[in-house]
Amino acid sequence: MSESKSESKPENQTPQKIPLAVAIAGVGLLVGGGVAALWFLWKQQPSAQLPSGTTLVPNEALMSISLSTDSREWEKLRQFGTPESQAWFDEQLLTLRDRLLSDNGYNYQEDIEPWVGKEITIAFLPPIPVEVSESEGEGETANSDGEGEPEQNGEENAETPSLSGIPRGNQSIVLLLPIANASRAQQVLENAPTPQSGAWTTREYKGVEIKENPGTDSDLYAVTVLDGKFLAVANSRYGIDRTVDTYKGALSLADLPNAGKIWQKLEGDRAFARLFVNIPVASAVASLNRQNARIDEIAKLQPNQGLAATATIENDGIAFDSAMWRRPKSERTYSVENKAKMMADRLPAAMSIAIVGSNLQGLWNDYVAEIDVNPIAVINPQWLRTAIKTTTNLDLEQDLLSWMAGEFALAMIPPAEDNASTFPASVVLMVQASDVKAGEETLAKLDERMQEAYQFKLSRETIGDRELVTWQSPQSSLIVTRGWLDGNVAFLSVGAPLADRIVPKPQTSLRTNTLFQSTVPAQPTPSNGYVFIDVENLLALNAPELRLPTQQGAFLDAIRAIGLRMAVENDRTLRHHLFVRLKQAGEALPLPPAQPDRPPSSESGSPTTPTPENNN
């Protein structure tokens, strides 16, 4: 659990730490893992559930990440992967270390380790103005019970600050380092080296002294100490000023509705990293690459409030615990439907990818309802409707999804050892029909359409008591098989022959797969669905579509398997447990010592550095 960063520790009791640059490098790891983490502390009464520093992150930040400074955790992380991925990861750590510390005249062991606390926080402010004042839940904060209530902390909190001061296109980043040993921090700060661009300058903002290098907006470096508890560093005046505003009482990320209540649910005692995403702002920023994107509308209409996650380093990988929740006033809620129970018994044990859910029709309806505020939507609903209508003469919603309101599975399955086809795998869709008669009528129409419009050759065979229909293209380049399992589960497979491995049921099912058992988290239960990816199996297929550039391929090769389990906790909260099982590269070699471009400056006459004692 986090401890108060205002307490000083004797030098011989200071926990092991890792260089600041090393900690920042973890951002890329967490984001690249798909999921990737984290949180902070209340302004007046710190909460052990929240990451330290949250109360200093402005509420318009799109994301904040908190990372452990414990070197033992980072050494465990460096041992994962393959020799190639291990070397790449170490190279990134060295680059960041030298850029942020050595090149600026700092040595981590001498200048940072003696005073820094257990967890640093990195906040990302939006690169463009995002008006969120009309967002649902604005002006509310999370009390100790996690419920939204009007903010009563004074005039500064009554309105959301204008973001017009953000330079368009520039990402404002704020780094918050907790001070665990104030006297040692003061010694280091008083002897801060002179920036490469010239002598430090100082200015005052709302009674707080801020020290800056004489750079332009594009290479500005600003630093201040807040209440003797945090050293704040930013790459823009906007970022450092907004951090001071928040320190003085403006709304922070910790004040977003229900943030405290959500954090109490997450596994945080052993967390290596913790992530918080302010979804309305993040959605608006992510939509910048969309043509004609309505930035402010996306922020206002986004029904989700936030995503919180913790990451814990285990012996064989990284475990993530996360929650996503709706805004208190959002009219859109989640359907509490956790019925993903049977598909693991219907899929074969040999598996590359398996995606299982509770309700295919409901999943599609939710996707379509929020398409306008989903900046990362991969499928245009109208395009898919048109494609299906043109190809099959069927209506997606009326003819297909209308009877697909049950559990479903979409899987990629490696071929049998005696496979003679040219396909590297089989892709199968299974759907539990909510209306079997409607499903049979639709599939009969589909048989007729494929035969008449595309001259597919149709054949029928019986396995056990099940009749299967196979479509074969004129050149035999495509083979599709469909049928029914146990009366109400329809399936359709494309690619390598698969029917005899799932009809009437698999000889060994996915549930018996030991990698599946040890990778897909057992909780939450009951679940709304799960995802299992056997990465080694997937890469072994040698499909041209799966070939990646060398660097990305090396990163993927470091992963053995990925497992995700989801549940709808209530009508406003989703829970996710993710586990990334990693290979072991072995004990990592010590990082080479820094080679600074210049020694630390001992010049006198530079402006006095803000210290832990002079900003109360």
Side-chain angles (χ1 to χ4, degrees), residues 170-228:
N170 293 339
Q171 176 72 69
S172 292
I173 301 175
V174 179
L175 179 64
L176 296 165
L177 291 85
I179 298 172
N181 187 322
S183 61
R184 291 300 300 271
Q186 180 176 347
Q187 293 174 20
V188 172
L189 295 175
E190 286 179 343
N191 297 302
T194 302
Q196 293 182 358
S197 53
W200 290 100
T201 61
T202 59
R203 65 183 177 91
E204 189 174 288
Y205 179 73
K206 293 188 176 180
V208 175
E209 182 181 292
I210 298 172
K211 190 170 183 177
E212 297 175 346
N213 70 342
T216 63
D217 287 341
S218 61
D219 61 357
L220 184 70
Y221 182 82
V223 60
T224 190
V225 175
L226 300 173
D227 198 27

Short mmCIF file of all heavy atoms in Angstrom, two decimals, residues 170-228:
data_model
loop_
_atom_site.label_atom_id
_atom_site.label_comp_id
_atom_site.label_asym_id
_atom_site.label_seq_id
_atom_site.Cartn_x
_atom_site.Cartn_y
_atom_site.Cartn_z
N ASN A 170 1.14 20.24 -29.38
CA ASN A 170 2.16 19.93 -28.39
C ASN A 170 1.57 19.11 -27.26
O ASN A 170 0.54 19.47 -26.70
CB ASN A 170 2.77 21.22 -27.82
CG ASN A 170 3.56 21.98 -28.87
OD1 ASN A 170 3.99 21.42 -29.86
ND2 ASN A 170 3.75 23.28 -28.64
N GLN A 171 2.22 18.03 -26.91
CA GLN A 171 1.77 17.19 -25.81
C GLN A 171 2.40 17.70 -24.51
O GLN A 171 3.61 17.72 -24.37
CB GLN A 171 2.20 15.75 -26.04
CG GLN A 171 1.86 14.81 -24.90
CD GLN A 171 0.38 14.53 -24.81
OE1 GLN A 171 -0.18 13.87 -25.67
NE2 GLN A 171 -0.26 15.04 -23.77
N SER A 172 1.56 18.15 -23.58
CA SER A 172 2.06 18.60 -22.29
C SER A 172 2.16 17.39 -21.36
O SER A 172 1.18 16.67 -21.17
CB SER A 172 1.11 19.64 -21.68
OG SER A 172 1.14 20.83 -22.43
N ILE A 173 3.34 17.17 -20.80
CA ILE A 173 3.59 16.05 -19.91
C ILE A 173 4.09 16.58 -18.58
O ILE A 173 4.96 17.46 -18.53
CB ILE A 173 4.64 15.09 -20.51
CG1 ILE A 173 4.15 14.56 -21.86
CG2 ILE A 173 4.92 13.93 -19.56
CD1 ILE A 173 5.16 13.70 -22.58
N VAL A 174 3.51 16.07 -17.51
CA VAL A 174 3.89 16.48 -16.16
C VAL A 174 4.39 15.25 -15.41
O VAL A 174 3.73 14.20 -15.42
CB VAL A 174 2.71 17.11 -15.40
CG1 VAL A 174 3.14 17.51 -13.99
CG2 VAL A 174 2.18 18.33 -16.16
N LEU A 175 5.53 15.38 -14.78
CA LEU A 175 6.12 14.30 -13.99
C LEU A 175 6.10 14.72 -12.53
O LEU A 175 6.55 15.79 -12.17
CB LEU A 175 7.56 14.06 -14.45
CG LEU A 175 8.36 12.97 -13.74
CD1 LEU A 175 7.74 11.61 -13.98
CD2 LEU A 175 9.80 12.99 -14.22
N LEU A 176 5.52 13.85 -11.67
CA LEU A 176 5.41 14.12 -10.25
C LEU A 176 6.23 13.10 -9.47
O LEU A 176 5.95 11.90 -9.53
CB LEU A 176 3.94 14.07 -9.81
CG LEU A 176 3.04 15.14 -10.44
CD1 LEU A 176 1.58 14.78 -10.25
CD2 LEU A 176 3.34 16.50 -9.85
N LEU A 177 7.25 13.59 -8.76
CA LEU A 177 8.11 12.71 -7.97
C LEU A 177 7.86 12.97 -6.50
O LEU A 177 8.11 14.09 -6.01
CB LEU A 177 9.59 12.95 -8.29
CG LEU A 177 10.07 12.52 -9.67
CD1 LEU A 177 9.81 13.61 -10.69
CD2 LEU A 177 11.56 12.21 -9.63
N PRO A 178 7.36 11.99 -5.76
CA PRO A 178 7.13 12.19 -4.32
C PRO A 178 8.45 12.32 -3.57
O PRO A 178 9.42 11.64 -3.87
CB PRO A 178 6.37 10.93 -3.91
CG PRO A 178 6.80 9.90 -4.90
CD PRO A 178 7.01 10.64 -6.20
N ILE A 179 8.47 13.20 -2.61
CA ILE A 179 9.67 13.44 -1.83
C ILE A 179 9.57 12.67 -0.52
O ILE A 179 8.76 13.00 0.35
CB ILE A 179 9.86 14.95 -1.56
CG1 ILE A 179 10.03 15.69 -2.89
CG2 ILE A 179 11.05 15.20 -0.64
CD1 ILE A 179 10.03 17.20 -2.75
N ALA A 180 10.38 11.63 -0.38
CA ALA A 180 10.37 10.82 0.83
C ALA A 180 11.40 11.31 1.86
O ALA A 180 11.32 10.96 3.02
CB ALA A 180 10.64 9.35 0.49
N ASN A 181 12.36 12.11 1.40
CA ASN A 181 13.39 12.63 2.30
C ASN A 181 13.63 14.09 1.93
O ASN A 181 14.38 14.40 1.01
CB ASN A 181 14.68 11.81 2.16
CG ASN A 181 15.73 12.20 3.20
OD1 ASN A 181 15.89 13.37 3.54
ND2 ASN A 181 16.44 11.19 3.71
N ALA A 182 12.94 15.00 2.63
CA ALA A 182 12.95 16.41 2.26
C ALA A 182 14.34 17.04 2.34
O ALA A 182 14.72 17.84 1.48
CB ALA A 182 11.97 17.18 3.14
N SER A 183 15.10 16.71 3.37
CA SER A 183 16.41 17.34 3.52
C SER A 183 17.35 16.94 2.39
O SER A 183 18.10 17.77 1.86
CB SER A 183 17.03 16.97 4.88
OG SER A 183 17.21 15.57 4.99
N ARG A 184 17.33 15.66 1.99
CA ARG A 184 18.20 15.23 0.90
C ARG A 184 17.75 15.85 -0.42
O ARG A 184 18.57 16.22 -1.27
CB ARG A 184 18.19 13.71 0.79
CG ARG A 184 18.87 13.00 1.95
CD ARG A 184 20.35 13.39 2.06
NE ARG A 184 21.09 13.07 0.87
CZ ARG A 184 21.70 11.89 0.66
NH1 ARG A 184 21.65 10.96 1.59
NH2 ARG A 184 22.37 11.67 -0.46
N ALA A 185 16.43 15.97 -0.61
CA ALA A 185 15.92 16.59 -1.84
C ALA A 185 16.37 18.05 -1.91
O ALA A 185 16.77 18.54 -2.98
CB ALA A 185 14.39 16.50 -1.87
N GLN A 186 16.34 18.76 -0.79
CA GLN A 186 16.75 20.16 -0.79
C GLN A 186 18.22 20.30 -1.17
O GLN A 186 18.59 21.19 -1.93
CB GLN A 186 16.50 20.77 0.58
CG GLN A 186 16.89 22.25 0.66
CD GLN A 186 16.54 22.85 2.01
OE1 GLN A 186 15.80 22.25 2.77
NE2 GLN A 186 17.08 24.03 2.27
N GLN A 187 19.06 19.41 -0.68
CA GLN A 187 20.47 19.46 -1.02
C GLN A 187 20.70 19.33 -2.52
O GLN A 187 21.50 20.05 -3.12
CB GLN A 187 21.22 18.35 -0.28
CG GLN A 187 21.27 18.50 1.23
CD GLN A 187 21.91 17.30 1.90
OE1 GLN A 187 22.64 16.53 1.26
NE2 GLN A 187 21.67 17.13 3.20
N VAL A 188 19.98 18.39 -3.12
CA VAL A 188 20.14 18.16 -4.56
C VAL A 188 19.61 19.35 -5.36
O VAL A 188 20.26 19.84 -6.29
CB VAL A 188 19.42 16.87 -4.97
CG1 VAL A 188 19.41 16.72 -6.49
CG2 VAL A 188 20.10 15.67 -4.33
N LEU A 189 18.45 19.84 -4.97
CA LEU A 189 17.83 20.92 -5.73
C LEU A 189 18.61 22.23 -5.63
O LEU A 189 18.67 23.01 -6.58
CB LEU A 189 16.39 21.12 -5.27
CG LEU A 189 15.46 19.93 -5.53
CD1 LEU A 189 14.09 20.18 -4.91
CD2 LEU A 189 15.32 19.67 -7.02
N GLU A 190 19.22 22.47 -4.49
CA GLU A 190 20.00 23.70 -4.34
C GLU A 190 21.24 23.69 -5.24
O GLU A 190 21.78 24.74 -5.57
CB GLU A 190 20.41 23.88 -2.88
CG GLU A 190 19.26 24.30 -1.97
CD GLU A 190 19.69 24.44 -0.53
OE1 GLU A 190 20.78 23.90 -0.20
OE2 GLU A 190 18.96 25.07 0.25
N ASN A 191 21.70 22.50 -5.62
CA ASN A 191 22.89 22.39 -6.46
C ASN A 191 22.53 21.91 -7.87
O ASN A 191 23.33 21.22 -8.51
CB ASN A 191 23.89 21.42 -5.82
CG ASN A 191 24.39 21.93 -4.48
OD1 ASN A 191 24.95 23.01 -4.40
ND2 ASN A 191 24.18 21.14 -3.43
N ALA A 192 21.35 22.28 -8.32
CA ALA A 192 20.91 21.84 -9.65
C ALA A 192 21.87 22.35 -10.72
O ALA A 192 22.28 23.52 -10.69
CB ALA A 192 19.51 22.37 -9.94
N PRO A 193 22.28 21.50 -11.66
CA PRO A 193 23.21 21.94 -12.72
C PRO A 193 22.55 22.94 -13.65
O PRO A 193 21.34 22.95 -13.83
CB PRO A 193 23.53 20.63 -13.45
CG PRO A 193 22.36 19.74 -13.18
CD PRO A 193 21.91 20.08 -11.80
N THR A 194 23.37 23.77 -14.23
CA THR A 194 22.87 24.76 -15.19
C THR A 194 22.43 24.07 -16.47
O THR A 194 23.13 23.20 -16.98
CB THR A 194 23.98 25.78 -15.53
OG1 THR A 194 24.41 26.40 -14.32
CG2 THR A 194 23.48 26.83 -16.51
N PRO A 195 21.24 24.42 -17.00
CA PRO A 195 20.78 23.81 -18.25
C PRO A 195 21.75 24.07 -19.39
O PRO A 195 22.48 25.06 -19.40
CB PRO A 195 19.44 24.50 -18.51
CG PRO A 195 19.03 25.07 -17.19
CD PRO A 195 20.30 25.40 -16.48
N GLN A 196 21.75 23.19 -20.38
CA GLN A 196 22.61 23.36 -21.54
C GLN A 196 22.29 24.64 -22.29
O GLN A 196 23.16 25.24 -22.92
CB GLN A 196 22.46 22.15 -22.48
CG GLN A 196 23.00 20.86 -21.89
CD GLN A 196 22.87 19.71 -22.87
OE1 GLN A 196 22.36 19.87 -23.97
NE2 GLN A 196 23.34 18.54 -22.46
N SER A 197 21.00 25.07 -22.23
CA SER A 197 20.61 26.26 -22.98
C SER A 197 20.91 27.56 -22.25
O SER A 197 20.63 28.64 -22.75
CB SER A 197 19.11 26.20 -23.30
OG SER A 197 18.36 25.98 -22.11
N GLY A 198 21.46 27.48 -21.04
CA GLY A 198 21.81 28.69 -20.32
C GLY A 198 21.35 28.65 -18.87
O GLY A 198 20.89 27.61 -18.39
N ALA A 199 21.46 29.79 -18.17
CA ALA A 199 21.14 29.85 -16.75
C ALA A 199 19.64 29.69 -16.52
O ALA A 199 18.81 30.02 -17.36
CB ALA A 199 21.62 31.18 -16.17
N TRP A 200 19.29 29.16 -15.32
CA TRP A 200 17.90 29.05 -14.94
C TRP A 200 17.25 30.42 -14.80
O TRP A 200 17.91 31.39 -14.45
CB TRP A 200 17.77 28.32 -13.60
CG TRP A 200 18.10 26.86 -13.60
CD1 TRP A 200 19.26 26.27 -13.21
CD2 TRP A 200 17.22 25.81 -14.02
NE1 TRP A 200 19.18 24.90 -13.35
CE2 TRP A 200 17.93 24.60 -13.85
CE3 TRP A 200 15.93 25.75 -14.52
CZ2 TRP A 200 17.39 23.36 -14.16
CZ3 TRP A 200 15.37 24.53 -14.82
CH2 TRP A 200 16.09 23.34 -14.64
N THR A 201 15.96 30.49 -15.07
CA THR A 201 15.18 31.68 -14.76
C THR A 201 14.08 31.28 -13.78
O THR A 201 13.71 30.11 -13.71
CB THR A 201 14.53 32.27 -16.03
OG1 THR A 201 13.62 31.31 -16.60
CG2 THR A 201 15.58 32.65 -17.06
N THR A 202 13.60 32.23 -13.02
CA THR A 202 12.53 31.93 -12.06
C THR A 202 11.36 32.88 -12.28
O THR A 202 11.53 34.02 -12.74
CB THR A 202 13.02 32.07 -10.60
OG1 THR A 202 13.49 33.41 -10.40
CG2 THR A 202 14.11 31.08 -10.28
N ARG A 203 10.19 32.40 -11.95
CA ARG A 203 8.99 33.22 -11.97
C ARG A 203 8.07 32.69 -10.87
O ARG A 203 8.27 31.59 -10.35
CB ARG A 203 8.28 33.17 -13.33
CG ARG A 203 7.72 31.82 -13.70
CD ARG A 203 7.10 31.84 -15.10
NE ARG A 203 6.62 30.52 -15.51
CZ ARG A 203 5.39 30.07 -15.30
NH1 ARG A 203 4.50 30.85 -14.69
NH2 ARG A 203 5.04 28.86 -15.69
N GLU A 204 7.07 33.49 -10.53
CA GLU A 204 6.13 33.09 -9.50
C GLU A 204 4.74 32.97 -10.09
O GLU A 204 4.31 33.80 -10.89
CB GLU A 204 6.13 34.11 -8.35
CG GLU A 204 5.32 33.67 -7.14
CD GLU A 204 5.47 34.62 -5.97
OE1 GLU A 204 6.55 34.63 -5.35
OE2 GLU A 204 4.50 35.35 -5.69
N TYR A 205 4.05 31.91 -9.73
CA TYR A 205 2.66 31.71 -10.19
C TYR A 205 1.81 31.32 -8.99
O TYR A 205 2.07 30.29 -8.35
CB TYR A 205 2.62 30.62 -11.27
CG TYR A 205 1.22 30.33 -11.78
CD1 TYR A 205 0.57 31.22 -12.63
CD2 TYR A 205 0.56 29.17 -11.41
CE1 TYR A 205 -0.71 30.96 -13.10
CE2 TYR A 205 -0.73 28.89 -11.88
CZ TYR A 205 -1.36 29.79 -12.72
OH TYR A 205 -2.64 29.53 -13.18
N LYS A 206 0.86 32.19 -8.63
CA LYS A 206 -0.04 31.96 -7.50
C LYS A 206 0.73 31.66 -6.21
O LYS A 206 0.38 30.76 -5.44
CB LYS A 206 -1.03 30.85 -7.82
CG LYS A 206 -2.01 31.21 -8.93
CD LYS A 206 -3.11 30.17 -9.10
CE LYS A 206 -4.12 30.63 -10.14
NZ LYS A 206 -5.22 29.65 -10.33
N GLY A 207 1.83 32.39 -6.04
CA GLY A 207 2.61 32.25 -4.82
C GLY A 207 3.58 31.09 -4.81
O GLY A 207 4.24 30.84 -3.80
N VAL A 208 3.69 30.38 -5.92
CA VAL A 208 4.60 29.24 -6.01
C VAL A 208 5.74 29.59 -6.95
O VAL A 208 5.52 30.07 -8.06
CB VAL A 208 3.86 27.98 -6.52
CG1 VAL A 208 4.85 26.83 -6.73
CG2 VAL A 208 2.77 27.58 -5.54
N GLU A 209 6.98 29.37 -6.50
CA GLU A 209 8.15 29.66 -7.32
C GLU A 209 8.38 28.53 -8.33
O GLU A 209 8.40 27.35 -7.97
CB GLU A 209 9.39 29.83 -6.44
CG GLU A 209 10.64 30.18 -7.22
CD GLU A 209 11.84 30.29 -6.30
OE1 GLU A 209 11.88 31.23 -5.49
OE2 GLU A 209 12.73 29.42 -6.39
N ILE A 210 8.53 28.90 -9.58
CA ILE A 210 8.76 27.94 -10.67
C ILE A 210 10.10 28.27 -11.32
O ILE A 210 10.38 29.43 -11.64
CB ILE A 210 7.63 28.00 -11.71
CG1 ILE A 210 6.30 27.62 -11.07
CG2 ILE A 210 7.94 27.09 -12.90
CD1 ILE A 210 5.10 27.83 -11.97
N LYS A 211 10.90 27.26 -11.53
CA LYS A 211 12.21 27.44 -12.15
C LYS A 211 12.15 26.87 -13.56
O LYS A 211 11.64 25.77 -13.78
CB LYS A 211 13.25 26.69 -11.32
CG LYS A 211 14.69 26.97 -11.71
CD LYS A 211 15.61 26.37 -10.64
CE LYS A 211 17.06 26.69 -10.97
NZ LYS A 211 17.96 26.19 -9.92
N GLU A 212 12.67 27.61 -14.56
CA GLU A 212 12.59 27.20 -15.95
C GLU A 212 13.93 27.36 -16.63
O GLU A 212 14.74 28.22 -16.25
CB GLU A 212 11.55 28.04 -16.70
CG GLU A 212 10.13 27.88 -16.19
CD GLU A 212 9.16 28.83 -16.89
OE1 GLU A 212 9.64 29.76 -17.57
OE2 GLU A 212 7.94 28.64 -16.73
N ASN A 213 14.14 26.53 -17.66
CA ASN A 213 15.30 26.78 -18.53
C ASN A 213 14.90 27.84 -19.55
O ASN A 213 13.70 28.05 -19.80
CB ASN A 213 15.75 25.49 -19.21
CG ASN A 213 14.76 25.02 -20.26
OD1 ASN A 213 13.61 25.43 -20.28
ND2 ASN A 213 15.20 24.13 -21.13
N PRO A 214 15.83 28.53 -20.14
CA PRO A 214 15.50 29.61 -21.07
C PRO A 214 15.18 29.10 -22.47
O PRO A 214 15.66 29.65 -23.46
CB PRO A 214 16.76 30.48 -21.04
CG PRO A 214 17.86 29.49 -20.81
CD PRO A 214 17.29 28.45 -19.89
N GLY A 215 14.40 28.05 -22.57
CA GLY A 215 14.08 27.49 -23.88
C GLY A 215 12.80 28.06 -24.45
O GLY A 215 12.15 28.92 -23.86
N THR A 216 12.44 27.57 -25.62
CA THR A 216 11.18 27.96 -26.24
C THR A 216 10.09 27.02 -25.77
O THR A 216 10.33 26.07 -25.02
CB THR A 216 11.30 27.89 -27.77
OG1 THR A 216 11.56 26.52 -28.15
CG2 THR A 216 12.43 28.76 -28.27
N ASP A 217 8.86 27.26 -26.24
CA ASP A 217 7.75 26.38 -25.84
C ASP A 217 8.00 24.94 -26.25
O ASP A 217 7.49 24.02 -25.63
CB ASP A 217 6.44 26.89 -26.46
CG ASP A 217 5.95 28.17 -25.77
OD1 ASP A 217 6.41 28.41 -24.64
OD2 ASP A 217 5.13 28.88 -26.36
N SER A 218 8.77 24.73 -27.33
CA SER A 218 8.97 23.38 -27.82
C SER A 218 10.01 22.60 -27.03
O SER A 218 10.05 21.38 -27.08
CB SER A 218 9.38 23.41 -29.30
OG SER A 218 10.60 24.12 -29.46
N ASP A 219 10.87 23.30 -26.28
CA ASP A 219 11.88 22.58 -25.48
C ASP A 219 11.98 23.13 -24.06
O ASP A 219 13.04 23.14 -23.46
CB ASP A 219 13.24 22.61 -26.18
CG ASP A 219 13.78 24.03 -26.35
OD1 ASP A 219 13.07 24.98 -25.98
OD2 ASP A 219 14.90 24.17 -26.85
N LEU A 220 10.85 23.60 -23.54
CA LEU A 220 10.81 24.16 -22.20
C LEU A 220 10.94 23.07 -21.15
O LEU A 220 10.48 21.95 -21.35
CB LEU A 220 9.50 24.92 -21.99
CG LEU A 220 9.35 25.65 -20.65
CD1 LEU A 220 10.28 26.85 -20.60
CD2 LEU A 220 7.91 26.07 -20.44
N TYR A 221 11.58 23.41 -20.05
CA TYR A 221 11.75 22.49 -18.92
C TYR A 221 11.47 23.30 -17.68
O TYR A 221 12.18 24.25 -17.36
CB TYR A 221 13.18 21.94 -18.93
CG TYR A 221 13.49 20.94 -17.84
CD1 TYR A 221 13.14 19.60 -17.99
CD2 TYR A 221 14.14 21.34 -16.67
CE1 TYR A 221 13.45 18.68 -16.99
CE2 TYR A 221 14.46 20.42 -15.68
CZ TYR A 221 14.11 19.09 -15.84
OH TYR A 221 14.41 18.18 -14.86
N ALA A 222 10.38 22.97 -16.95
CA ALA A 222 9.97 23.74 -15.78
C ALA A 222 9.86 22.81 -14.58
O ALA A 222 9.45 21.66 -14.69
CB ALA A 222 8.63 24.42 -16.03
N VAL A 223 10.25 23.35 -13.39
CA VAL A 223 10.26 22.53 -12.19
C VAL A 223 9.83 23.35 -10.99
O VAL A 223 10.11 24.55 -10.91
CB VAL A 223 11.66 21.92 -11.96
CG1 VAL A 223 12.69 23.00 -11.81
CG2 VAL A 223 11.67 21.01 -10.74
N THR A 224 9.11 22.72 -10.07
CA THR A 224 8.76 23.38 -8.81
C THR A 224 8.54 22.31 -7.75
O THR A 224 8.41 21.12 -8.07
CB THR A 224 7.50 24.26 -8.95
OG1 THR A 224 7.35 25.06 -7.77
CG2 THR A 224 6.25 23.41 -9.14
N VAL A 225 8.51 22.75 -6.49
CA VAL A 225 8.23 21.86 -5.37
C VAL A 225 6.91 22.28 -4.75
O VAL A 225 6.68 23.47 -4.50
CB VAL A 225 9.36 21.92 -4.32
CG1 VAL A 225 8.99 21.09 -3.09
CG2 VAL A 225 10.66 21.42 -4.92
N LEU A 226 6.04 21.31 -4.50
CA LEU A 226 4.71 21.59 -3.98
C LEU A 226 4.57 21.05 -2.56
O LEU A 226 4.63 19.84 -2.34
CB LEU A 226 3.64 20.97 -4.89
CG LEU A 226 3.66 21.46 -6.34
CD1 LEU A 226 2.68 20.66 -7.19
CD2 LEU A 226 3.33 22.95 -6.40
N ASP A 227 4.43 21.98 -1.62
CA ASP A 227 4.15 21.64 -0.24
C ASP A 227 5.23 20.75 0.39
O ASP A 227 4.97 20.02 1.34
CB ASP A 227 2.78 20.95 -0.14
CG ASP A 227 2.24 20.96 1.29
OD1 ASP A 227 2.62 21.87 2.06
OD2 ASP A 227 1.47 20.04 1.64
N GLY A 228 6.43 20.77 -0.19
CA GLY A 228 7.50 19.94 0.34
C GLY A 228 7.28 18.45 0.14
O GLY A 228 8.03 17.63 0.68
#
